[in-house]
Amino acid sequence: MKTAFVFLATGFEETEAVGTIDVLRRGGIETTVVSITGEIMVEGAHGLGVVADLLYEDADLSAADALVLPGGMPGSNNLNAFKPLKEQLVAQDQKGKIVAAICAAPLVLGGLGLLKGRRATCYPSFESALTGAVVSDAAVEVDGHVITGRGPGLVFNFGLALVEALRGKAVAEEVAAGLLLA
């Protein structure tokens, strides 16, 4: 079974986190929600608390198929400040496995140099943080094993792109139909 880890930091964008988790799980992907805060309950940007499955220090990310960063502020900055996650993202990229971020969170990938020469999208006004990227205003950009999404209203596009990358087009289409998106 394919595996994905979705990382929560204080101030994450709730729609992007919960929507992505839901779509991944509907797609039959073993999805683990990981808190980088040291607390199992993480508060989002709009005050919604989400209970993570486990703390970062308890996560075995060695066999992860996808590492996923929801956006939001200050959540994206908090992800960017967490060095162990950034080291893991670089290792995942070097293995050619999926790294994904939506909204403001692609700033983490940009700062790590993971977007150089790749098509990428993000929330408007964060384009300058996508260092070296070929920036677009597309809903989602899939460039090799790097997937970026534009923002909360496009979370289904982002989640379905992940499902397609991990399980194939047919599964993504089935999930979309179940969500009445097809």
Side-chain angles (χ1 to χ4, degrees):
M1 176 177 275
K2 296 291 185 175
T3 61
F5 291 83
V6 178
F7 298 91
L8 300 184
T10 302
F12 67 92
E13 170 52 55
E14 295 94 337
T15 300
E16 294 164 358
V18 174
T20 301
I21 293 161
D22 180 68
V23 171
L24 288 168
R25 289 181 175 173
R26 287 172 187 257
I29 296 158
E30 185 180 322
T31 305
T32 304
V33 182
V34 181
S35 167
I36 69 160
T37 69
E39 301 291 330
I40 204 74
M41 173 72 75
V42 185
E43 186 173 334
H46 303 99
L48 179 67
V50 172
V51 177
D53 296 313
L54 47 88
L55 301 176
Y56 186 87
E57 50 269 25
D58 298 326
D60 177 7
L61 306 173
S62 61
D65 293 301
L67 302 181
V68 183
L69 308 178
M73 280 298 186
S76 296
N77 285 338
N78 290 332
L79 290 170
N80 197 40
F82 192 64
K83 187 176 178 183
L85 175 58
K86 289 167 64 171
E87 292 169 352
Q88 192 63 46
L89 290 164
V90 169
Q92 182 85 349
D93 177 69
Q94 289 172 346
K95 290 187 254 182
K97 292 190 170 189
I98 295 172
V99 292
I102 185 171
C103 192
L107 71 84
V108 179
L109 305 182
L112 293 170
L114 304 184
L115 300 178
K116 287 184 181 165
R118 295 184 181 280
R119 291 181 324 278
T121 191
C122 64
Y123 194 82
S125 78
F126 286 90
E127 294 88 353
S128 65
L130 306 185
T131 307
V134 177
V135 179
S136 85
D137 62 359
V140 175
E141 286 287 359
V142 179
D143 193 329
H145 61 275
V146 177
I147 300 173
T148 53
R150 192 147 166 88
L154 302 164
V155 68
F156 290 112
N157 306 65
F158 180 69
L160 291 167
L162 282 160
V163 171
E164 183 171 341
L166 291 165
R167 301 268 335 268
K169 189 174 180 73
V171 174
E173 287 174 348
E174 183 179 318
V175 172
L179 291 167
L180 304 180
L181 294 171

